[in-house]
Amino acid sequence: MSKLSIVGICLTGAIAIVQLIYWSSILPDPMPVHFDGAGRPDRMGSRAGFLGLNMGLHLMFLVGFPLLGLSLSGLPDQFINVPRKDYWLKEPRRESTLGFFRQYLAW
């Protein structure tokens, strides 16, 4: 993972925390979470539920995807979904293919 990726992940994480603090002070509780065809709210949810979902998605994207990219080399080929798997995951292309995925998932 490059230094630029690490800086980008840290910066995005910091922005997510600032966003969480800001939203937690202005969002109503309960808040509308679903709307009908006319734009009227037809389901309400808690502020804490919304903020938890928001932070969970941030963690998945900022931590989960880079970790997935780093763990690809240890996965059996059957768990890697790529077209023409017999071509892309065969030596000598395997390491460059996995390197591409690691870089793509890191940032």
Side-chain angles (χ1 to χ4, degrees), residues 33-43:
V33 294
H34 193 268
F35 300 87
D36 64 12
R40 293 181 303 259
D42 61 0
R43 194 171 72 204

Side-chain angles (χ1 to χ4, degrees), residues 28-71:
D29 193 20
M31 58 183 286
V33 294
H34 193 268
F35 300 87
D36 64 12
R40 293 181 303 259
D42 61 0
R43 194 171 72 204
M44 302 297 275
S46 71
R47 176 177 48 209
F50 171 78
L51 295 173
L53 176 65
N54 185 278
M55 289 313 291
L57 289 171
H58 275 94
L59 284 173
M60 182 183 73
F61 287 113
L62 295 176
V63 177
F65 282 0
L67 287 178
L68 176 65
L70 293 174
S71 69

